[in-house]
Amino acid sequence: MKQKKIPLSLQIFLALGLGIAVGMAFTGNPAFAVSYIKPFGTIFLNLLKFVVVPIVFFSILSGIISMSDIRKVGSIGVKTLVYYTCTTAGAIVLAMFLANLFKGFFTVIDPTGVTFEPGETASFMDTLVDIFPSNIIAPFANASMLQVIVAALLFGFGILAAGEKGRPAAALVDSLTEVCMKVMDIILRLSPIGVFCLILPVVAENGPQILGNLGLVLLCAYIGYFLHAVIVYSATVKALGGVSPLAFFKGMFPAMAMAFSSASSVGTLPLNLECTERLGARRDIASFVLPLGATINMDGTAIYQGVCAVFIATCYGVDLTLGQMITIVLTATLASIGTAGVPGSGVVMLTMVLESVNLPVAGIGLVIGVDRIFDMGRTTVNITGDAACALVVSNLEKKAEARRAARRPRA
């Protein structure tokens, strides 16, 4: 009798639960977990990052080529950007609402002696210039995701414009895409081990802190994460994506567990591609929407910005005005463009948000100690939003193609 294989999603779930349980046992001695268990999680994360850049480049290329029409790429791109912008703005509004509800209960921490040295934040024009690569090697060597996406778009448009002469290049792209996917499959088989080794040291280091003074701030953020995912994504995948919310979250569980443990939306991209395709997203569209979302869609990060901005303002005795809250909404939405999908990117965005309303940037020192806990939740929301967008755009394009077909005269 053939033994039934345990599904990858269940393996990841068991590894996550086991990692949390063992991590709690190590809270008295986190040094061992950090020194001897975390490195294996880092190796797994490095393998994911290793395959992500070629997957992003070749999958976007393959998606553009399969669409066969530059105008169609533009149509999908507009739908994707509109969806991402609207959901990110909605997320920060929800965060501001929840943070103001919690405001009276926040534990006011004395900010005396709290320091934080922010890195240099680039201006809008510098960010715009940096999107466009100056050579073909740098985007891949530096894993600059926006530059990789721009390079893929240019080469994709070039292959389409070349017509017959571009067909050999298109065949090579399809072959390399398939090879990258097989490499990804091999790495994903290690997911349960990677999840276990990534979550265990986080729990070992931060377990007691979660119950400390910042517990209420974390609770507020996680309520925001939960409500945004359950309300916004359930509504959009049901109404616009044609997928049951229950089926959506069940199908997305492996990617969500990976995102929660790794806190990297870029590192979760290969598994997210696999989950969305199983849920019914078209491969050409998912290959375009998900890499773009891993770079610019930051719904979970936007919630984090709103909650932390109100908390830091409270600690410094500042009562935010309606105008300042609107500024935070706009800044957090715009700052998501160009923020890399790697652990800790939310801190860079939070620096920009605080500066936009003249709050002390040193206040980040109040929350940075548990930033990893924030990051795990916000990354999970980010990648779930990417998947929801892929399903929505796939369904909208399917309906648009059906309408176009119905209008064509019959032979």
Side-chain angles (χ1 to χ4, degrees):
M1 184 177 178
K2 190 177 180 180
Q3 190 173 6
K4 191 175 180 180
K5 188 178 179 182
I6 301 174
L8 181 63
S9 58
L10 181 57
Q11 292 180 41
I12 291 174
F13 176 77
L14 293 173
L16 186 66
L18 184 62
I20 291 171
V22 177
M24 291 301 293
F26 274 98
T27 51
N29 183 26
F32 178 85
V34 172
S35 299
Y36 298 101
I37 297 175
K38 186 178 179 179
F40 292 100
T42 303
I43 289 171
F44 173 68
L45 202 55
N46 286 345
L47 288 173
L48 284 175
K49 291 177 180 177
F50 156 76
V51 77
V52 157
V53 172
I55 279 182
V56 168
F57 182 74
F58 289 116
S59 62
I60 288 181
L61 258 179
S62 180
I64 292 171
I65 292 166
S66 63
M67 292 178 202
S68 305
D69 188 349
I70 294 176
R71 289 174 297 180
K72 189 176 179 182
V73 177
S75 172
I76 291 171
V78 169
K79 290 184 178 73
T80 301
L81 290 174
V82 168
Y83 182 92
Y84 284 155
T85 303
C86 290
T87 55
T88 300
I92 187 67
V93 170
L94 171 65
M96 299 300 289
F97 174 75
L98 288 173
N100 279 284
L101 285 181
F102 273 73
K103 185 178 176 180
F105 303 98
F106 279 151
T107 302
V108 179
I109 302 173
D110 181 8
T112 304
V114 174
T115 59
F116 175 77
E117 291 296 328
E120 292 185 12
T121 54
S123 67
F124 171 77
M125 294 308 297
D126 288 338
T127 302
L128 181 63
V129 170
D130 288 341
I131 289 174
F132 298 93
S134 58
N135 65 70
I136 191 62
I137 303 299
F140 297 91
N142 301 326
S144 302
M145 299 310 295
L146 275 178
Q147 291 189 356
V148 171
I149 290 170
V150 169
L153 289 171
L154 291 173
F155 276 99
F157 294 155
I159 290 171
L160 290 180
E164 284 291 328
K165 291 185 177 180
R167 286 192 177 182
L172 178 62
V173 167
D174 284 341
S175 176
L176 290 172
T177 301
E178 192 62 32
V179 170
C180 289
M181 290 299 176
K182 292 301 180 184
V183 173
M184 175 193 75
D185 287 341
I186 294 169
I187 295 171
L188 288 182
R189 291 178 187 176
L190 303 173
S191 296
I193 298 172
V195 166
F196 175 83
C197 295
L198 285 167
I199 196 69
L200 193 156
V202 172
V203 175
E205 284 187 299
N206 298 288
Q209 272 187 294
I210 298 174
L211 305 176
N213 289 332
L214 294 174
L216 201 57
V217 189
L218 285 163
L219 176 63
C220 181
Y222 271 82
I223 289 175
Y225 297 153
F226 178 79
L227 290 178
H228 186 73
V230 169
I231 296 172
V232 176
Y233 299 151
S234 293
T236 53
V237 298
K238 177 67 175 176
L240 301 175
V243 178
S244 160
L246 187 61
F248 172 71
F249 286 109
K250 183 180 178 181
M252 280 300 299
F253 180 79
M256 292 170 73
M258 175 69 71
F260 187 78
S261 58
S262 68
S264 172
S265 52
V266 169
T268 311
L269 181 58
L271 189 55
N272 204 8
L273 277 165
E274 187 175 301
C275 290
T276 49
E277 283 188 55
R278 286 179 180 173
L279 284 167
R282 282 171 40 180
R283 181 167 183 172
D284 57 341
I285 292 176
S287 298
F288 177 81
V289 170
L290 294 183
L292 189 62
T295 309
I296 70 170
N297 182 43
M298 301 286 171
D299 292 0
T301 309
I303 293 170
Y304 162 81
Q305 311 301 317
V307 171
C308 289
V310 173
F311 173 69
I312 291 169
T314 302
C315 290
Y316 281 91
V318 177
D319 193 14
L320 294 172
T321 65
L322 179 61
Q324 286 176 311
M325 291 183 189
I326 293 172
T327 300
I328 289 173
V329 171
L330 294 174
T331 305
T333 303
L334 295 174
S336 67
I337 306 296
T339 303
V342 295
S345 61
V347 173
V348 178
M349 286 178 62
L350 185 55
T351 300
M352 300 169 68
V353 168
L354 294 178
E355 288 179 339
S356 72
V357 289
N358 296 318
L359 285 173
V361 175
I364 294 176
L366 298 170
V367 295
I368 200 167
V370 290
D371 182 68
R372 173 72 179 193
I373 308 299
F374 282 115
D375 206 359
M376 291 157 68
R378 67 187 181 231
T379 303
T380 305
V381 175
N382 290 343
I383 66 101
T384 308
D386 298 344
C389 183
L391 290 168
V392 166
V393 174
S394 292
N395 194 47
L396 292 177
E397 283 299 308
K398 180 182 177 182
K399 290 180 177 178
E401 288 174 1
R403 287 195 298 269
R404 285 194 293 267
R407 288 196 297 265
R408 292 192 195 110
R410 293 185 179 180

